[in-house]
Amino acid sequence: MMDRLTLSRIDDNLGTSEVAALCFLCLDVINRKRLEGITDARVLFERLEEKCLLENPSFLSQLLRTIRRADLVSLLETDSSPPEETDSNPILSDYRVMLYQIYQDVTEENLEMMKFLLSDKLGRRHIDTCRTALDLFAEMEKVGLLSSTKLDHLYTTLLEFDRQLASTVHDYMQGVNRPGHTASLPRVSMDYQRVNSSPQQNQTTLSISETQPRNVGQSVVPDAEPNIESSSSPDPTEYYTLTRNPRGVCMVINNEQFRGPEFKDRAGTQEDEKALCNVFTQLGFDMEVHNNLTAEDMRREIKTLGKRNFSSHDVLVVCVLSHGDIGCVFGTDENKVCLKEFTQPFTSVRAPSLAGKPKLFFIQACQGRGYQFGAQPYALSQEEDGERYLEDDAGPVHGQTVPAEADFLLGMATVPECRSFRNTVLGSIYIQELCRQLLRSADSAANDDILSILTRVNREVSKGEYKSFKQMPEPKYTLTKKLVLKRV
C-alpha cells in the first residue's frame, strides 16, 4: 500500500479540474457511478485502493504523467522501468489518453461547437451540464455514441470544425488497426454571396448566428501523416534556400466591407485574416495587414511592396481576400484589379532582389458565377439553418491570367468560372484548410514542399459538399525548386 502522507501531498497539489481529468481517465477501471461527484483526490485514491490499484505507484504515476504533473510523479519515487500489466496494475487506456489529448486542445469556441452539434443526440438538459470536453465525452459514452471501438460520431463531429483534432482520433483508429472502418457522413450545407443572383441560382437569405458550426461535410477519412522520405540527404539544389529570420514578408489584403450595391459584405473574412497571421508568424514571416482597400489602394500597396529591397528575405507571400471574377479581384469600391497586376511588380526585372526566390500569392475569391457539381453527388439531407453560414465571393464575368515568370506560385481558391465558398462565422473553406495544412506540414517530420501541401488542400476541400455544390482549388506555378516551410 502506498504511503498515505504521499497521497495527501499529491491531493494538496491537485486542482479540481485535474481531479476531474483523473476520474475520467479511470473510467475503464472503476465503475462510473463510483466516480460521480468526486472533487477531492483523496476520495479518488480511496476508490483506487478498493480496486487494489495503489498496491504500487505505477498506475498513479501513469495518471499523473498523462495530466502533465511530473512534479507529483517525483513524489512517488518510482523506478524508470515501464509498468507491466497485471490484474492489480493495469496499463492506462490508450483510448482514454487519446480523449484527454483532445480535451487539452479544445478551445472554448470548439467546446461550444461540439455542444451545438451534439445537442440533438444528447439532449439540451445533459448538454447544459457539460462544462468541459471530458464531460461531453462522458455523456456520449452514457448514450452509446462513444467507446474505444465506436469513434465515428466523435470523428465526424470534430471534422466539422477542426481537422487537426479529428486527426487525433484518426491516428488512434489507425493505431488499433480497424480494417474496413468508415466514418459516418455528417450533414452539409453550402456557401453563398452576391446580392443580385441569377434566377436559377437564387437562394433565400437567412440571418447569421455567431454560434453555429462550420457546415463543411466530409465523406472520406483523411490520410494519415505522410511517410518520411528516404534517409538519404535531400539535394540542396532542389530546394529554395531558407536561412534568414524573418523568412520574408507576408502581406494580407482583407476586403470585408463593400461600398456599392452589387456586393454583400464578406462576413467571416476576419477569421481568415487571423488564421493567416497566426500561421505565417509561426513560419517566421513579418506580417502586414491592410483592410478594406479600394482597387486603386490595392494597386498602390502592391507597387509600394514591389519597390522594397528584399535582399534580407527569402520568400514573399501575398494573400488577397475579396470578391472576384475570372482573372481579377474587386476593391471595396467594386472596381476590379487583374491578378497580373499583383504579380508583375515582383518579376526578376522589376524586383531584382527577389530574383530566384519564391513568390507566393493566395487568392480567396470567386473566379466566375458558375457552380461545380460532383460527378457522384452525395444524397445528404440539408438543414435549413445550415444555409445561412456559407456564402460565395463572386462578381460579374471576363480573361484569366497565369504568372509566366519564374518562381511564382498562385494559389487560387477555385478553378476559373466557378465560385468559392466562405463560412460567415469561421472563414473561407480554402484559406482555413490552407492554414491547417501549412501548420500540419510545419510540425511534420516529413519534408513536404508547398505543392504537396496544396495537393492536400485540393483533396480536403474537394471532399466537401456545400449545399449540394463542390469547390475545387487550383494552384498555378512556375516554381523551379521545392519550397519547404517549417516553424522558425
Side-chain angles (χ1 to χ4, degrees), residues 112-315:
E112 291 305 313
M113 293 289 186
M114 290 177 65
K115 292 169 72 171
F116 176 83
L117 291 169
L118 293 168
S119 60
D120 61 333
K121 297 180 177 66
L122 300 181
R124 176 57 57 188
R125 183 173 64 86
H126 294 292
I127 283 288
D128 288 342
T129 65
C130 295
R131 297 186 177 182
T132 70
L134 295 182
D135 294 335
L136 275 178
F137 298 155
E139 290 297 327
M140 291 177 70
E141 290 177 326
K142 289 178 183 179
V143 299
L145 289 177
L146 179 64
S147 71
S148 60
T149 57
K150 187 174 183 179
L151 294 154
D152 292 15
H153 286 291
L154 176 61
Y155 176 79
T156 53
T157 298
L158 296 175
L159 200 59
E160 287 284 346
F161 57 86
D162 195 317
R163 287 187 177 86
Q164 194 63 42
L165 291 175
S167 70
T168 301
V169 180
H170 176 257
D171 291 344
Y172 171 81
M173 291 190 291
Q174 291 281 344
V176 296
N177 190 22
R178 296 173 59 208
H181 172 83
T182 55
S184 60
L185 296 175
R187 296 182 178 182
V188 279
S189 57
M190 170 193 161
D191 189 357
Y192 230 8
Q193 182 75 39
R194 187 80 182 199
V195 174
N196 300 315
S197 300
S198 58
Q200 63 269 28
Q201 300 296 349
N202 188 39
Q203 299 287 337
T204 302
T205 301
L206 301 176
S207 60
I208 297 170
S209 168
E210 295 296 327
T211 62
Q212 294 281 41
R214 167 182 299 158
N215 292 305
V216 180
Q218 295 291 332
S219 59
V220 183
V221 176
D223 292 341
E225 191 72 13
N227 293 328
I228 300 175
E229 297 191 10
S230 63
S231 58
S232 58
S233 299
D235 183 356
T237 63
E238 292 184 2
Y239 293 83
Y240 288 106
T241 301
L242 302 182
T243 57
R244 296 177 175 88
N245 189 9
R247 291 280 185 256
V249 174
C250 176
M251 175 181 284
V252 177
I253 296 176
N254 180 21
N255 288 342
E256 178 182 14
Q257 300 171 346
F258 287 76
R259 305 174 184 176
E262 188 167 21
F263 296 118
K264 293 175 63 178
D265 289 349
R266 301 181 60 255
T269 190
Q270 293 300 328
E271 295 304 312
D272 288 347
E273 177 189 314
K274 292 176 185 177
L276 289 167
C277 289
N278 174 52
V279 170
F280 283 100
T281 297
Q282 294 186 60
L283 295 178
F285 287 78
D286 284 335
M287 299 300 305
E288 295 184 15
V289 178
H290 301 281
N291 286 290
N292 299 319
L293 300 184
T294 64
E296 193 55 40
D297 289 338
M298 286 195 287
R299 292 188 182 94
R300 182 176 63 253
E301 291 297 339
I302 287 297
K303 289 178 180 178
T304 300
L305 182 63
K307 294 177 181 178
R308 292 191 194 177
N309 184 346
F310 293 93
S311 299
S312 59
H313 294 144
D314 293 322
V315 191

Side-chain angles (χ1 to χ4, degrees), residues 161 163 214 216 268-276 279 321 364 421-423 425-439 457 461:
F161 57 86
R163 287 187 177 86
R214 167 182 299 158
V216 180
T269 190
Q270 293 300 328
E271 295 304 312
D272 288 347
E273 177 189 314
K274 292 176 185 177
L276 289 167
V279 170
L321 317 174
Q364 169 54 44
F421 299 103
R422 169 176 35 81
N423 187 294
V425 176
L426 297 174
S428 67
I429 308 305
Y430 174 69
I431 293 296
Q432 293 295 320
E433 186 60 39
L434 171 66
C435 290
R436 273 190 287 273
Q437 294 298 339
L438 283 168
L439 283 181
V457 172
V461 173

